[in-house]
Amino acid sequence: MSHQIDAIRDAILADAPGEELAALPLPEQVRGALVRQEDQEMFAGLRSEEKDMRKSIRVEEFPFPEPAPDEAVVAVMASAVNFNTVWTSIFEPLPTFGFLKRLGRESVWGARHDRPYHVMGSDAAGVILRVGSAVRNWRPGDRVTIHCNYVDDQDPSAHDDSMLADNQRIWGFETNFGGLADLTLVKANQLMPKPAHLSWEEAAVNALCNSTSYRMIVSPNGAHMTQGQVVLIWGATGGIGAYAVQYVLNGGGTPVGVVSSPERAELLREMGCEHVIDRRAEGYRFWTDEGTQDPAEWRRFGKKIRELVGRDPDIVFEHPGRQTMGASVFVVRRGGLVITCAATSGYMIEYDNRYLWMNLKTIKGCHFANYREAWEANRAICEGQVYPTLSKVYPLAEAGEATWQVHRNLVEGKVGVLCLAPEEGLGISDPELRARTEDRITLFRRHAG
Ligand code: NAP
């Protein structure tokens, strides 16, 4: 690590004031977890699950760009792995270099992103070191978390719901210089206050998944769940699922959580989710070997949900995609909503449309969150109403292994990555709120052992 980075880290650990941080020189080269364009064919011919990103993710130095007037440079104390890190590192469904090229054509500042390497990462917690001349609300020294909605505020289409902007992007996935690095470059309108009762790594893992689940469950742009509704949640101890469970419980709904092991079932019950389905123990086979779906299995699944809660779900929180969408459309109640943000098991979806139209059901697409939604979701974390689901932590040097764990469905909740933070447990500045909420904050970590 360079002297400059050492000096930055030491100053942050010593709680140096903003002016001191702003005066420290920035290094020209910065360490980050990246993939290289020259490797983008390395997994050709392999199935997704055979692609091992421990070979494609490199932790290397890259030249750090100059910030634009509306941007901030943030020293990253900790970051997180998201599923988009998985997609980037196995070059699926497309290598991300095309995204960077397109951004590069948009403006002089956009051109900085078009590089033959892609620094990944769509979550971070850290400290602001520099702000551009157009940044009003943030200063060097501010402790922040970062959400990943990257929008051009000069684009008229960004001014209703910014997720509907024509050129909306996800930072660290469709832009370069993401959070899995010692320094990151973000737009000022991605910044949010760091929850004071959390350590750096606990604060770093929330923004992407927590905001996504907030929009899907709570926001009028998503399912807008009301109290008393039953919500079926796939992957209920996973990255987005575990925040969805919290929002359903907080909002007076009844979650029915689906998981794939007795350990995950137990964790879900500890979260307060009473109705649990272990999909592996039940042995559902929605698809037969011949590649067609089996409605008898959908019915068996629907019957199980009725046994648990006495009725069909009002909302299905859907993201596994191809493996589950047929069942999701079938089991949601007449007039109910399947809200989907992903297709982990395959995006060419098949369902029986008769159940959709005859029963007036809706399938609604949903993607990340606008700034307001991300801010509200972050506030819920800051106030201790929603807790982080951090279960494992890796150093940045092991970003490949951390991503592999997520790819192979080996971890619950979120995986944190230490960047400049030398160890876990640092950065807590509200010990009272922490003491009141510690049990919940550490629930996933304790479970992981
Ligand atoms: P994750 O942490 O790996 O959790 C996914 C969960 O889904 C797993 O815990 C697993 O739970 C369950 N699952 C996996 N394969 C399944 C299958 N074939 N059938 C049923 N359940 C299955 O991932 P995540 O962070 O929650 O992300 C999930 C998906 O959402 C990813 O594709 C990601 O790219 C996407 N995503 C989209 C957005 C957006 O803004 N559009 C935001 C965040 C995430 P069990 O094995 O215990 O059942």
Side-chain angles (χ1 to χ4, degrees):
M1 227 184 259
S2 70
H3 308 311
Q4 285 112 327
I5 279 288
D6 282 343
I8 289 168
R9 186 189 48 200
D10 292 348
I12 291 171
L13 294 175
D15 275 335
E19 311 81 74
E20 200 176 300
L21 290 172
L24 291 173
L26 296 184
E28 283 176 15
Q29 296 279 328
V30 166
R31 184 182 64 135
L34 52 86
V35 290
R36 291 197 157 272
Q37 194 162 16
E38 71 213 50
D39 291 337
Q40 66 183 15
E41 298 301 328
M42 75 192 295
F43 300 131
L46 297 179
R47 285 181 293 126
S48 270
E49 57 275 23
E50 295 169 336
K51 298 180 180 175
D52 185 347
M53 63 276 294
R54 291 172 295 192
K55 295 182 184 140
S56 59
I57 295 179
R58 309 177 188 215
V59 178
E60 288 179 359
E61 299 216 317
F62 61 95
F64 196 77
E66 189 195 335
D70 63 345
E71 289 180 341
V73 175
V74 177
V76 182
M77 299 305 280
S79 180
V81 175
N82 281 293
F83 225 89
N84 68 11
T85 323
V86 173
W87 301 128
T88 304
S89 61
I90 60 174
F91 310 107
E92 276 196 32
L94 293 166
T96 45
F97 296 99
F99 301 145
L100 304 184
K101 261 202 173 12
R102 211 164 311 138
L103 175 53
R105 285 195 295 268
E106 269 183 18
S107 68
V108 173
W109 294 112
R112 295 167 304 167
H113 294 258
D114 181 11
R115 294 282 174 268
Y117 52 83
H118 186 179
V119 184
M120 307 177 294
S122 301
D123 263 320
V127 181
I128 297 177
L129 298 176
R130 296 280 192 282
V131 291
S133 56
V135 176
R136 286 174 288 113
N137 299 332
W138 303 93
R139 285 194 304 265
D142 287 347
R143 292 170 154 221
V144 292
T145 57
I146 297 165
H147 76 76
C148 61
N149 184 16
Y150 184 95
V151 283
D152 173 358
D153 62 10
Q154 293 175 29
D155 173 357
S157 68
H159 284 269
D160 181 3
D161 169 7
S162 61
M163 286 306 298
L164 298 182
D166 292 338
N167 55 7
Q168 185 278 332
R169 294 183 163 88
I170 298 294
W171 160 70
F173 179 58
E174 294 160 293
T175 80
N176 217 327
F177 314 117
L180 284 164
D182 290 336
L183 300 186
T184 188
L185 190 67
V186 298
K187 284 185 183 278
N189 60 15
Q190 291 177 252
L191 296 167
M192 308 189 292
K194 173 192 171 287
H197 63 306
L198 300 182
S199 66
W200 293 113
E201 63 282 1
E202 290 161 353
V205 297
N206 306 300
L208 189 147
C209 285
N210 179 40
S211 312
T212 302
S213 298
Y214 178 91
R215 181 172 172 117
M216 287 179 80
I217 298 288
V218 181
S219 172
N221 291 318
H224 207 192
M225 188 203 82
T226 52
Q227 48 183 298
Q229 290 195 309
V230 171
V231 185
L232 177 75
I233 300 172
W234 291 103
T237 59
I240 49 177
Y243 294 101
V245 168
Q246 297 186 58
Y247 283 113
V248 173
L249 287 170
N250 288 357
T254 303
V256 178
V258 185
V259 286
S260 63
S261 71
E263 294 75 28
R264 289 183 178 182
E266 188 193 322
L267 174 58
L268 201 46
R269 288 200 181 89
E270 280 186 54
M271 291 180 76
C273 178
E274 230 179 276
H275 308 293
V276 178
I277 298 175
D278 179 342
R279 64 183 172 98
R280 190 155 299 158
E282 298 286 341
Y284 296 116
R285 293 197 48 193
F286 300 134
W287 287 84
T288 63
D289 291 339
E290 294 77 45
T292 51
Q293 293 191 72
D294 183 357
E297 285 294 88
W298 296 345
R299 271 194 289 280
R300 186 160 77 86
F301 182 54
K303 191 162 169 261
K304 177 80 191 172
I305 298 168
R306 285 184 185 175
E307 273 168 27
L308 290 171
V309 286
R311 59 194 178 92
D312 297 330
D314 301 280
I315 298 165
V316 177
F317 183 88
E318 168 61 50
H319 52 93
R322 185 170 171 80
Q323 288 295 329
T324 55
M325 185 59 109
S328 295
V329 169
F330 179 81
V331 300
V332 77
R333 76 156 166 81
R334 193 174 170 85
L337 175 71
V338 176
I339 186 137
T340 175
C341 74
T344 315
S345 64
Y347 51 80
M348 295 305 278
I349 300 291
E350 201 176 294
Y351 64 89
D352 186 333
N353 203 30
R354 292 170 298 176
Y355 293 108
L356 189 89
W357 97 71
M358 293 296 287
N359 297 304
L360 302 102
K361 303 180 181 188
T362 303
I363 300 174
K364 184 172 185 176
C366 202
H367 187 40
F368 188 61
N370 61 36
Y371 196 9
R372 190 196 60 76
E373 290 161 338
W375 190 276
E376 293 300 323
N378 187 58
R379 195 166 56 160
I381 300 261
C382 288
E383 293 176 355
Q385 292 160 7
V386 169
Y387 51 91
T389 59
L390 178 75
S391 68
K392 270 195 178 175
V393 180
Y394 288 85
L396 181 60
E398 290 173 31
E401 176 63 32
T403 310
W404 169 254
Q405 294 277 324
V406 174
H407 181 38
R408 301 316 311 261
N409 193 10
L410 298 174
V411 276
E412 287 76 50
K414 296 295 306 173
V415 173
V417 175
L418 295 181
C419 297
L420 289 177
E423 59 189 81
E424 291 181 50
L426 304 175
I428 298 164
S429 54
D430 183 349
E432 287 81 24
L433 179 56
R434 186 176 184 88
R436 289 205 303 276
T437 51
E438 176 106 35
D439 249 24
R440 315 231 88 197
I441 296 170
T442 54
L443 177 62
F444 277 63
R445 198 88 176 93
R446 293 199 307 275
H447 245 264

